[in-house]
Amino acid sequence: MNRFWISLVFGTVIASLLIEYLHITHQWLDNWCAWGRNKWRIVVQLFFGLLIPIVIDITLVWIYLTLFKNTVKGSGFMVKVLPWSALLFLLGNVAYSIRWIWIMNYRSGLKAAELRRLEEDALQKAKEEDDLLKARNEEERLRAAELAKIKSEKEEALLDAELMAEMLTAKEVALQQAREKEKLLKMKKEAERLRAKELEVKLEETEKKLLETKQLAELPKTTEERPAEETEYVYWEKIPCSLGDKGFEESIEEIQCIAAGKDYATIYTKAGHHRNFKATGNVLRENLDPSIFIEVRKGAFYRIDTIESIKGYKLILKPGITRVDNILIAREYKKKVKDYFTPQYYHKHNRRK
């Protein structure tokens, strides 16, 4: 008896799951691959609506029989139960398809009725708009006729008023023209008087300028040209630097080398400190004394009195000098640096120690 109730419950659960699967599958297929819109619907329907439910049914029954130590073949499920299950699945698919066709026809009928109603409403609305347009046209025609009549009456009244005004003001117009001619004549006379006075003033100024020019020409020349003053370029003796938020000046005598970047340069002192200030390589070349500093690579200037010798492409500093980095000479600067330490260059430039 216990096994009977277990079989009943298990069979009910399987049937409920398969019915729910068919319901969800048909809803999904109607949205994704509806009848009449896709020619592959029959193939998809047989696969998802018939084949997969049969596989699910066999799998669940196999699980049930395995729990009770039985086999699908030995229980007779494949011969006695599975054909009826397949038939029920087929009937379920047919029922859902008929339901979909009925719903589509019902919706089509509703759409047709709605279209007929909308068409009747549109015709009624068009008729009402036509009647309203006719009434407006008639009203505009009557208003235009009334306005034309009023305009004609106003034009006649204005014409009469203009004729009357011309008759009454003809004498005044003549008097006004006489006054304007007299006023214009007075203005011309005044302009001629002012022009004559202006010409007299200009003539006096011209005579005065000619007299002054003649007097200046007679004066002896005592001015002499002064030669332009020669200026001597002054190199930096102190450089304004910054340390945090504070600013101060660093003496040239305390600087061992200077390295210039894109916008800023860094000072390395003999005591091993470094300071920053705003300058480029071109600014350093113009303001650093060439008898004190020499450029060994682009933007890198070293104090000459700290250099002991040159070894290949490297500078050897004197003992006791703080080494700030690996001092390498750029290829394009090597000849210039080596020439700087020759006796001829030394006596020619008389560099300071």
Side-chain angles (χ1 to χ4, degrees), residues 258-262 280-282 284-285 294-302 328-334 337:
I258 303 176
K262 184 177 180 181
T280 61
N282 291 330
L284 295 177
R285 293 185 193 98
I294 186 171
E295 188 175 9
V296 299
R297 58 178 180 272
K298 188 174 182 180
F301 298 83
Y302 280 82
L328 297 175
I329 304 173
R331 185 183 298 273
E332 59 270 23
Y333 290 91
K334 184 179 179 182
V337 175

Side-chain angles (χ1 to χ4, degrees), residues 185-199:
L185 185 60
K186 288 181 179 180
M187 290 176 65
K188 286 182 178 180
K189 290 181 179 180
E190 183 66 20
E192 290 176 357
R193 187 183 66 80
L194 293 174
R195 192 179 295 113
K197 187 176 180 180
E198 186 177 353
L199 289 173

Side-chain angles (χ1 to χ4, degrees), residues 10 14 17-18 55-65:
F10 199 85
I14 293 174
L17 290 175
L18 292 173
V55 173
I56 294 173
D57 190 17
I58 293 173
T59 303
L60 294 175
V61 171
W62 177 80
I63 293 171
Y64 167 73
L65 294 175

Side-chain angles (χ1 to χ4, degrees), residues 312-350:
Y313 283 93
K314 293 182 67 176
L315 285 181
I316 308 300
L317 299 182
K318 293 180 180 180
I321 303 300
T322 304
R323 299 182 183 275
V324 295
D325 57 1
N326 190 13
I327 307 170
L328 297 175
I329 304 173
R331 185 183 298 273
E332 59 270 23
Y333 290 91
K334 184 179 179 182
K335 187 176 183 305
K336 179 181 175 182
V337 175
K338 290 186 70 174
D339 292 344
Y340 196 88
F341 287 92
T342 60
Q344 294 84 358
Y345 196 95
Y346 178 86
H347 293 294
K348 181 180 178 181
H349 291 273
N350 191 18

Side-chain angles (χ1 to χ4, degrees), residues 74-137:
S75 64
F77 171 77
M78 300 295 292
V79 179
K80 298 178 181 179
V81 181
L82 185 60
W84 290 101
S85 300
L87 180 61
L88 289 175
F89 294 149
L90 183 62
L91 292 175
N93 284 280
V94 172
Y96 271 104
S97 301
I98 293 171
R99 172 179 172 273
W100 183 86
I101 294 169
W102 178 80
I103 290 172
M104 290 296 102
N105 292 332
Y106 177 72
R107 289 179 179 176
S108 299
L110 290 178
K111 287 183 179 179
E114 183 68 18
L115 289 173
R116 285 195 298 272
R117 186 179 65 79
L118 291 174
E119 186 177 358
E120 291 175 357
D121 292 343
L123 290 174
Q124 183 66 24
K125 188 175 181 181
K127 185 177 179 181
E128 292 177 357
E129 290 179 353
D130 191 15
D131 295 340
L132 182 61
L133 184 61
K134 289 180 180 179
R136 286 180 179 176
N137 291 335

